[in-house]
Amino acid sequence: MTELNIFNPFNAPVFHEETVSSTMDVSRRLAAQGRAHGTVIAADFQEAGRGRIRGRIWEMDRGTGLSFTVLLRYPRMNDIPAALTLRAGIAVSLAIEDFAPLLQGMVKVKWPNDIMINEKKAAGILCEANDGIVHMGIGINVTQNGFPSHLRGKAASLLVNSGQLSMNIEKSAQDIKFCLLEKILVRLYEELNAGKSGDWKRRMEKRLFKKDEQVLFMEGAADSGMEVRGRLAGIGEQGELLIASDSENIIRSFFNGELVLYK
Ligand code: BTN
């Protein structure tokens, strides 16, 4: 494990490994060693990268994406910011727009943890919490030129969507990713220190994917079969999804579930 020489506003080390099982596992080890709030572990390749939905893997060709986990310590449960995953989504979206200005206004957050560009997923966020520690894992497709057939039409990369990423072509792929990582840490630090309430909900709703559109939502587990159809009305105080359902003519809130895009 090497320590990267990049700016981390959390004032904690940013580690890098070529290959890991999952940066979530490494982050847990770093936590057990007593590493500080804001410590980061980034990897070029994860042999067992995981997604939010149980059993789903997070796959990425070696070196094409940015995969990392931020270790966040909240000794008092009450200090954990509300809607942490969504707020991380705001930070990642802003950082992508800082990084690739051509994408300004195009980066959306699909509830609860996906970052979308042109209706396709460019990044995902996974927060795992226990004993006052949150491991915030973030995976971003950066330099992929294409995707395997099962992801085609569903996945986006910053390279494909922003043309040339508005960046110095001389830079190595690794430098490009670390530059993006730095921008994400800056935005994440700002977001997490914006005060408990802040105005994250308003900012979130501005970039909420499918806001005010008709959606199909699968309540609970991905295979629950409990379909809800209605208008995506917004986000509640705790980060829950609000849907004005067609059948009951009321606004219902959901803490678990997934918006269905491909059926
Ligand atoms: C999702 O879209 O379901 C969440 C994907 C999260 C992927 C990141 S990559 C870094 C960290 N390590 C993992 O194993 N998963 C997260």
Side-chain angles (χ1 to χ4, degrees):
M1 194 155 61
T2 54
E3 188 172 339
L4 297 176
N5 183 21
I6 68 171
F7 174 63
N8 181 357
F10 291 90
N11 202 15
V14 179
F15 293 114
H16 173 253
E17 277 207 58
E18 275 179 22
T19 304
V20 296
S21 53
S22 157
T23 55
M24 304 305 275
D25 301 335
V26 182
S27 184
R28 280 172 197 277
R29 287 204 292 277
L30 292 170
Q33 290 167 9
R35 290 290 181 176
H37 178 74
T39 298
V40 178
I41 170 69
D44 294 340
F45 185 66
Q46 302 185 104
E47 291 166 330
R50 46 187 187 264
R52 180 184 64 95
I53 295 180
R54 220 184 154 76
R56 246 182 234 179
I57 56 165
W58 175 258
E59 49 180 322
M60 202 176 261
D61 286 344
R62 183 176 288 278
T64 55
L66 175 63
S67 305
F68 64 99
T69 298
V70 187
L71 187 174
L72 299 168
R73 291 187 181 274
Y74 295 104
R76 292 179 309 180
M77 282 304 276
N78 278 350
D79 290 342
I80 299 186
L84 188 57
T85 306
L86 287 175
R87 292 173 73 172
I90 298 174
V92 171
S93 306
L94 286 167
I96 290 175
E97 293 180 356
D98 294 340
F99 176 73
L102 282 177
L103 294 177
Q104 220 118 50
M106 291 166 65
V107 186
K108 303 278 175 197
V109 179
K110 173 173 170 271
W111 187 94
N113 70 318
D114 292 342
I115 308 300
M116 310 292 287
I117 301 174
N118 288 337
E119 309 256 324
K120 295 181 195 135
K121 177 166 172 169
I125 299 167
L126 168 70
C127 287
E128 295 177 350
N130 57 315
D131 295 334
I133 296 177
V134 178
H135 303 278
M136 179 184 282
I138 300 177
I140 305 181
N141 299 325
V142 184
T143 58
Q144 290 91 335
N145 257 320
F147 291 92
S149 56
H150 65 285
L151 292 178
R152 223 164 283 151
K154 300 179 182 172
S157 78
L158 304 194
L159 175 67
V160 165
N161 282 275
S162 68
Q164 26 64 23
L165 285 179
S166 326
M167 68 210 168
N168 186 345
I169 220 83
E170 302 295 304
K171 281 189 174 172
S172 72
Q174 199 72 309
D175 287 344
I176 290 165
K177 283 188 287 170
F178 294 154
C179 165
L180 175 62
L181 172 57
E182 215 173 69
K183 290 189 188 307
I184 294 172
L185 294 175
V186 168
R187 287 294 192 175
L188 188 63
Y189 183 82
E190 273 171 17
E191 182 59 46
L192 300 186
N193 290 287
K196 261 196 143 175
S197 50
D199 65 345
W200 67 267
K201 219 164 74 68
R202 185 188 58 78
R203 287 181 295 121
M204 177 67 234
E205 287 190 340
K206 258 177 66 182
R207 57 173 75 240
L208 183 60
F209 184 69
K210 300 276 179 205
K211 168 95 167 62
D212 287 326
E213 292 183 31
Q214 285 298 119
V215 293
L216 170 59
F217 181 74
M218 198 66 75
E219 187 178 355
D223 55 358
S224 69
M226 294 190 288
E227 291 185 355
V228 178
R229 284 172 199 275
R231 179 180 59 84
L232 200 162
I235 297 287
E237 291 299 328
Q238 297 305 315
E240 65 277 25
L241 186 71
L242 306 177
I243 297 185
S245 76
D246 290 346
S247 52
E248 297 153 63
N249 209 10
I250 49 158
I251 294 199
R252 295 178 63 193
S253 39
F254 299 92
F255 285 90
N256 292 302
E258 203 186 6
L259 288 162
V260 182
L261 298 188
Y262 315 99
K263 217 182 168 209

